[in-house]
Amino acid sequence: MLEGKAAIGETDMLQTMQQDALDLAAKALDFFDATDAIAIARFIKQEFDRMYGPGWQCVVGRDFGSFVTHCFGCFIYFQVGSLSILLFRGSASYPEPEKNQFEALEPLGTLDTMKA
């Protein structure tokens, strides 16, 4: 069980979401072997998708680096023993292109007109 064994490294989540993340990690570690990082990550990600809507990403392991863009209030990094868990909701850092964005551009001309 996870009681008293989790150490939060960084987070911008509300306390209730933090507790959900810790509770789900504890449940995952009850269901899966601690060496099955993919199963643990899948479980936590799918449960957060169900509880808080789609777009969550989860990384579980003993040695990894990360540099991610996330939605405000949707990031937590914590350790359970020697296992680290990164959970965040991804965020697009660029605007979606508008449809027909190139219609207003003038054609450059054909290859024949460019030779002259």
Side-chain angles (χ1 to χ4, degrees), residues 27-72:
K27 189 181 279 190
L29 289 167
D30 285 344
F31 289 156
F32 306 105
D33 188 87
T35 61
D36 195 354
I38 294 172
I40 294 167
R42 180 185 305 117
F43 177 81
I44 295 170
K45 182 247 189 300
Q46 288 176 342
E47 287 299 306
F48 254 71
D49 279 346
R50 184 183 61 75
M51 294 167 67
Y52 294 105
W56 290 90
Q57 308 299 316
C58 188
V59 180
V60 175
R62 298 191 191 286
D63 184 25
F64 63 87
S66 67
F67 188 83
V68 300
T69 301
H70 63 89
C71 295
F72 179 77

